[in-house]
Amino acid sequence: MTDGKNRKKVFVSLKLPEPLVEMLTRHFDVEVYEKDGLIPQELLCEKARTVDAIVATAWIAIPREVIACAGPNLKAIVNFGVGYNNIDVAAATEKKILVTNTPDVLTDATATFAWCLMLSAARRIGEGERLVRTGKPWHLTPCDFWGCDITGRTLGVVGTGRIGTSFAMKSRGFDMKVLYHDVVDNTTLDRELGARRVDMETLLKESDFISLHVPYIPATHHLIDARAFEIMKPTTVLVNSSRGPVVDEVALAHALKTGQIWGAGIDVYENEPVVNPALFELENIVMTPHVASASPESRQGMARLAAECCIAALNGERPSAVVNPEVLN
């Protein structure tokens, strides 16, 4: 810990859970951007010139233009979240700036929320709630509001890292057949669930439910596009709690509107917080505002891990979650 004028400076680009600020203020001078809405890029550039670390989240873009503004003191960009496509990691690496993230602590919360989306879309929970909230009496017959059965159906999991594996393991209570697509075998799923690793087309063709758990990289941009929807069953429910651009929203809206698929549960969007207006017109989609990790244990754990990474980086130590370790070489 340093004293007075020698204390390093950390800029937190939006309000985050209290443990993060409490931990950081023991070591550094901390400034938090507390205004409503997203921080202007111009202000981020200004801060990058003078601080030692910036704390961001998936909602805060730190592109090459901001990183180009970095002064000699900027040593770390600390991302509050496991995904980091909001940061130009290559630009940060060029300037020897560490990028950290917060894996593990949000795994169960995110996997559980993906199940919430899947169940809600399958059983038409959103439609039912909207009907009840009208305040009008409803007169349903046994032929109304049919949803999708889940028990015994085929679950397709795209991406079986920490979150994808946790999501798939929760299928045991529904006695589901599990298919997964990844670049490597997942021995846990193979052993525990009798899961089968398949190519993407097979997964799209055979799955009744498909849940996406991949990072957003060039190879996963619009991984689910118009052709993918054409391959899916008309009874398929798609869930996305990974990153918005993994799904082509225009194609998604068309697939839902025309009955190419049964429904969708979506927590992330291509241009969030802006959502494709075509999705608002559809009843067969459940939409939430990127809150899959929003549980007390998860968010506070993320706050502590982010603070630990920031402290380590500014003290010249190796953070526990480094995105670009080559900077340390």
Side-chain angles (χ1 to χ4, degrees):
M1 185 182 297
T2 56
D3 298 320
K5 296 180 180 179
N6 293 323
R7 283 168 68 91
K8 293 178 179 177
K9 297 178 174 61
V10 177
F11 180 68
V12 181
S13 57
L14 78 170
K15 184 179 178 182
L16 291 173
E18 195 57 35
L20 181 139
V21 175
E22 288 178 356
M23 291 174 67
L24 291 180
T25 51
R26 296 174 200 159
H27 300 262
F28 314 118
D29 287 336
V30 179
E31 179 185 356
V32 180
Y33 183 77
E34 296 185 336
K35 294 183 180 180
D36 293 334
L38 297 179
I39 183 171
Q41 192 170 106
E42 296 78 12
L43 181 55
L44 262 181
C45 282
E46 178 184 323
K47 296 301 178 182
R49 293 187 182 100
T50 59
V51 301
D52 298 273
I54 294 174
V55 182
T57 73
W59 298 287
I60 307 298
I62 304 185
R64 180 172 290 271
E65 292 76 12
V66 169
I67 293 171
C69 298
N73 291 334
L74 187 61
K75 295 294 186 290
I77 299 172
V78 178
N79 208 47
F80 183 90
V82 64
Y84 46 84
N85 59 289
N86 54 307
I87 301 167
D88 191 323
V89 177
T93 302
E94 290 168 13
K95 298 204 71 168
K96 303 296 182 183
I97 299 170
L98 273 178
V99 177
T100 69
N101 65 340
T102 58
D104 296 323
V105 289
L106 49 67
T107 295
D108 187 66
T110 304
T112 299
F113 195 84
W115 272 94
C116 293
L117 289 172
M118 193 177 100
L119 294 168
S120 295
R123 297 306 304 271
R124 302 172 66 177
I125 301 299
E127 292 178 72
E129 199 215 17
R130 286 189 289 274
L131 174 63
V132 173
R133 281 185 178 273
T134 65
K136 301 175 183 178
W138 64 89
H139 304 283
L140 303 179
T141 76
C143 296
D144 296 323
F145 258 87
W146 288 12
C148 295
D149 288 322
I150 295 168
T151 300
R153 297 300 194 263
T154 298
L155 176 64
V157 183
V158 182
T160 55
R162 298 178 184 91
I163 296 171
T165 297
S166 177
F167 174 84
M169 291 296 291
K170 296 180 191 305
S171 70
R172 287 178 292 187
F174 294 96
D175 193 28
M176 301 182 84
K177 173 184 176 182
V178 176
L179 305 177
Y180 68 93
H181 178 72
D182 209 322
V183 294
V184 295
D185 290 335
N186 187 304
T187 55
T188 298
L189 299 186
D190 295 345
R191 181 182 64 252
E192 300 293 331
L193 303 179
R196 183 162 59 99
R197 179 179 165 223
V198 296
D199 60 65
M200 192 66 179
E201 184 159 341
T202 298
L203 185 144
L204 295 173
K205 187 181 298 183
E206 296 185 9
S207 299
D208 299 297
F209 300 90
I210 298 172
S211 190
L212 307 176
H213 301 280
V214 294
Y216 178 57
I217 57 177
T220 60
H221 180 76
H222 286 185
L223 179 67
I224 304 300
D225 57 10
R227 181 178 179 276
F229 287 118
E230 291 173 358
I231 297 171
M232 294 179 195
K233 299 178 181 180
T235 53
T236 297
V237 172
L238 176 71
V239 174
N240 188 16
S241 58
S242 60
R243 283 294 182 264
V246 172
V247 176
D248 181 338
E249 278 186 16
V250 173
L252 172 63
H254 177 78
L256 290 168
K257 185 175 182 179
T258 61
Q260 281 185 313
I261 64 171
W262 168 267
I266 305 295
D267 186 50
V268 289
Y269 308 88
E270 277 201 74
N271 300 296
E272 60 186 47
V274 177
V275 178
N276 187 331
L279 297 177
F280 298 143
E281 302 171 5
L282 304 170
E283 288 287 350
N284 54 342
I285 182 171
V286 175
M287 294 185 286
T288 51
H290 201 151
V291 291
S293 66
S295 74
E297 293 83 1
S298 175
R299 290 287 170 87
Q300 289 177 17
M302 292 165 69
R304 286 189 288 270
L305 180 54
E308 290 168 0
C309 286
C310 187
I311 293 166
L314 295 190
N315 284 340
E317 301 167 358
R318 184 186 180 95
S320 60
V322 181
V323 173
N324 55 347
E326 56 269 36
V327 170
L328 299 170
N329 297 334

